[in-house]
Amino acid sequence: MHFTSLISRKNLFSLAAAGLLYVSGSPSLVVASGYEFDGVGARAVARGGAVIADSGDWTAIYWNPAGLAAAGKREGGIELRAGRMYSKDGNSFNVLGSNPFDKDKLSSGFVIGSMGAAVPLDADSAIGAGVYSPLMQGSDFEDTSASNPLYLKYKSYVVTGVANVSYARKLTDRLSAGLGVNAMYGALKSKSDVTWSGPQYQHNESDAEGYGIEGMAGLTYAINDRWTAGAVLRTGARIELEGEETVVVNNGAYTAKSDFETTVHHPATTGVGLAWQARQDLKLTCDVTPPWWQGFSNSLTYATPDGT
């Protein structure tokens, strides 16, 4: 078994598991907050994330930076959510066109959280800052098979983190504008053990991390005393992950290492929203926030693809 075939199997296992992990880690792919996750702030999340036109507190650093202009006072918040998800994939793990494993459930733990603050500079402007984690997800899969490969154990985690600084100002009594910058961090680590008949044994480890920058811009406009409109744009980002892959065959009979790189395409998103103060104790909001997907690829580029 030569190194080229090992890389092929390694990629199949790594990418299949990474794909399952990404999907299972993003259950709210179609929600008011865009594509990432359910958002920042208990109040905003409870409203389904429909707050582009009505995010007048520190959480505006995520939803619409223009909302900071309405904060009115110093304030901040912190939140943490954790749990475990169980997803089901009817095809289990595909290996070289076959489906050797019967197990079709993948357990996946997650931890997400955020914290931030808003500080008015004067009656017409404010700044905000904070950090949040759209995704901090683990994966754990183990199964045996009656055909090759005979055994697979896979563990991994992926994490993305965002640090934001934003500024907002009232341009008129009705119109506010805001700008923000997101510094983004991404990391991916995985370990897998595979056994074929023979017996042939292979151990893989991947470890990569990288950074990216995203811009934000937003507007809010008070149409009248009861209606407010809002709009927001995120430019998207390219997070260039760089790391090292290690392959060990038959407990050290063959060992290879290679640096690799891959790009995570964080898509641009746009959003528009309306808020209606129907009565003193009732406000209705509606947002539309599509992501603008660009070429998304799971390809990896190795520095030494042939093992030299």
Side-chain angles (χ1 to χ4, degrees), residues 103-168:
K103 183 178 179 180
D104 59 3
K105 292 182 180 180
L106 181 72
S107 65
S108 182
F110 67 90
V111 179
I112 55 177
S114 62
M115 67 177 185
V119 179
L121 299 177
D122 53 39
D124 295 325
S125 63
I127 59 172
V131 295
Y132 60 89
S133 174
L135 180 63
M136 188 180 295
Q137 188 84 19
S139 176
D140 190 353
F141 182 92
E142 184 175 5
D143 199 15
T144 57
S145 170
S147 59
N148 275 320
L150 301 175
Y151 170 79
L152 169 63
K153 182 178 181 179
Y154 184 90
K155 288 188 176 183
S156 70
Y157 78 81
V158 60
V159 58
T160 58
V162 178
N164 172 276
V165 177
S166 296
Y167 171 80

Side-chain angles (χ1 to χ4, degrees), residues 170-182:
K170 293 182 180 179
L171 303 180
T172 69
D173 290 341
R174 294 181 178 273
L175 178 65
S176 296
L179 296 173
V181 176
N182 288 335

